[in-house]
Amino acid sequence: MSASMVKGWCPGALRPMQSGDGLVVRVRPFGGRLEANQIAGLAELAERHGNGLIDVTSRANLQIRGVSEETHRPLIDGLAQLQLLDPDTDIEARRNILVTPFWTVGDETQALAAELEEALADSALDLPTKFGFAIDDGKSRVLAGDSADVRIERDRGGRLLVRADGARFGHSVARGEAVSTALALAGWFVASGGTKGGRALPAALRGETEPAPVMPASRPGHYPQGALVGVAFGQMLHTTLHQFSGCGHALRMTPWRMVLSEGKREMPNGAGLITEPHDPALRVIACSGAPRCREAHADTRALAAALAPRIALDTKLHVSGCAKGCARSGASAVTLVATSAGFDLVRNGSTRDEPVLRGLNCADIVSDPSILVGGH
């Protein structure tokens, strides 16, 4: 199996990506959930076949880092035994689904996720790179700010709807129509190029139903479904992941670099975990950075850790090792983009937007962080 690097796509398990510390193998939990035995198995696989570092991504996946060409095959065999592997790379690439972590036993969330996964596996859709779905079917929406192109949600009365990302209204559907409508909308995106250029949705997919309200951003703490805990800068040691399995609880993944330990009533402890709702590390998003990523021009996490306690409570900072913006595709109040000449500073934008300042020195930013918000 070839594990050569190809740019412009997200890695998978069957199709890993080369990075500065070896191959990155992305694991996409089915239904956005890992059983306790799968958690323990992943921790063991990361230690045995990788370098022991595990990323929690903005697409609610896990990434095992530091895998070699030689250890990739036994790692894949291990994932297959844990029932965490897709039949082929095409199905793996299509199965890009965010699932609300705040579902309850007996509601329709997990059934919708399983049905959508099965439909995508059987589909011949050639979806664009990073095209995604969200199942956000609670009384309040929690994934509205996260990347997805087609969304299965509810209206204010609790009825299901399917909505194109960015559209104000969704198309009301019966329970049995939700997944087929979501795939039809995805098919229209592929055939037409989406809503860019002012293209209107076809009448059969156009809706007039307003979705449910958006819930405020979730923070670490106790919820009816369990304990929500953050992972500092989206990376943990395999030993920390193994601690979750020791509790005997399943994990629900989120796109917020947090995991929900299902049914747990005590906040877990572990290296790099965030348990306080206002921890400064929650204000900062950072990619792997150098030397872990060979595309990165700087050690992003060292800078992020230094800046986190020094920025305003209401400021969200994104530190990116290059212009690709892997850790966050959307806008942030402050975005720092590492280049060969220093850091470029973007305010209220993303890595793709025009900087207001270029070539900033890392030491100067740390010594005077007011420069980030226009202090000079």
Side-chain angles (χ1 to χ4, degrees):
M1 180 181 302
S2 172
S4 59
M5 183 184 77
V6 179
K7 296 180 182 178
W9 48 274
C10 290
L14 296 169
R15 193 186 184 201
M17 180 179 285
Q18 185 69 48
S19 191
D21 56 354
L23 297 175
V24 176
V25 175
R26 178 171 291 190
V27 180
R28 306 180 185 206
F30 290 89
R33 184 174 183 267
L34 293 167
E35 298 284 359
N37 69 302
Q38 293 175 318
I39 301 166
L42 282 172
E44 183 179 342
L45 290 173
E47 178 186 18
R48 181 181 300 176
H49 303 304
N51 60 13
L53 293 176
I54 299 166
D55 295 330
V56 179
T57 79
S58 61
R59 292 181 178 265
N61 303 141
L62 292 174
Q63 290 181 166
I64 296 175
R65 303 192 66 90
V67 179
S68 69
E69 294 279 357
E70 293 74 24
T71 60
H72 183 230
R73 169 50 68 183
L75 173 57
I76 289 299
D77 293 341
L79 292 176
Q81 292 176 10
L82 293 172
Q83 298 183 310
L84 289 171
L85 204 62
D86 289 285
D88 58 51
T89 56
D90 290 338
I91 294 174
E92 179 181 65
R94 284 196 295 269
R95 190 171 62 81
N96 189 12
I97 306 170
L98 297 181
V99 180
T100 172
F102 298 125
W103 53 271
T104 57
V105 176
D107 71 13
E108 295 177 317
T109 304
Q110 286 291 286
L112 281 166
E115 186 179 333
L116 180 56
E117 288 168 348
E118 184 177 352
L120 286 170
D122 294 337
S123 171
L125 281 174
D126 184 16
L127 297 176
T129 300
K130 300 185 179 181
F131 190 97
F133 300 82
I135 298 177
D136 196 10
D137 63 329
K139 293 181 180 179
S140 298
R141 292 179 292 148
V142 298
L143 302 175
D146 301 297
S147 178
D149 300 278
V150 176
R151 301 175 181 273
I152 299 177
E153 301 169 330
R154 294 190 184 275
D155 64 18
R156 294 175 180 270
R159 295 174 293 273
L160 285 171
L161 60 86
V162 176
R163 186 173 64 88
D165 186 52
R168 179 180 176 186
F169 300 112
H171 180 73
S172 292
V173 292
R175 168 63 183 83
E177 301 171 330
V179 169
S180 60
T181 303
L183 261 63
L185 185 53
W188 175 82
F189 266 91
V190 172
S192 68
T195 55
K196 293 180 180 178
R199 297 181 186 90
L201 286 166
L205 297 174
R206 202 175 304 144
E208 299 180 352
T209 305
E210 187 174 359
V214 176
M215 180 186 291
S218 300
R219 292 183 173 275
H222 293 102
Y223 293 79
Q225 295 82 2
L228 185 66
V229 57
V231 180
F233 310 123
Q235 192 171 88
M236 70 174 89
L237 299 171
H238 68 92
T239 50
T240 301
L241 181 62
H242 209 290
Q243 283 182 277
F244 283 105
S245 70
C247 304
H249 299 280
L251 277 185
R252 301 182 187 183
M253 304 303 298
T254 83
W256 316 313
R257 292 180 173 80
M258 301 184 199
V259 293
L260 190 147
S261 187
E262 195 173 284
K264 189 168 178 60
R265 296 293 165 237
E266 298 176 358
M267 294 301 287
N269 295 314
L273 296 183
I274 302 172
T275 58
E276 296 297 326
H278 299 289
D279 190 300
L282 293 170
R283 305 171 204 159
V284 183
I285 298 168
C287 64
S288 294
R292 293 164 290 274
C293 175
R294 64 184 188 181
E295 300 292 316
H297 295 282
D299 184 346
T300 55
R301 289 183 175 171
L303 179 58
L307 290 175
R310 309 190 67 186
I311 59 175
L313 294 175
D314 58 350
T315 297
K316 182 69 78 173
L317 170 65
H318 175 198
V319 184
S320 183
C322 70
K324 288 165 63 178
C326 294
R328 180 175 174 82
S329 59
S332 297
V334 179
T335 298
L336 288 170
V337 186
T339 73
S340 58
F343 281 92
D344 290 351
L345 169 62
V346 178
R347 295 194 184 112
N348 299 312
S350 71
T351 58
R352 298 177 298 279
D353 292 315
E354 187 69 20
V356 295
L357 293 172
R358 295 182 183 271
L360 295 174
N361 181 277
C362 182
D364 291 340
I365 298 171
V366 174
S367 64
D368 185 12
S370 65
I371 193 173
L372 299 178
V373 291
H376 290 285

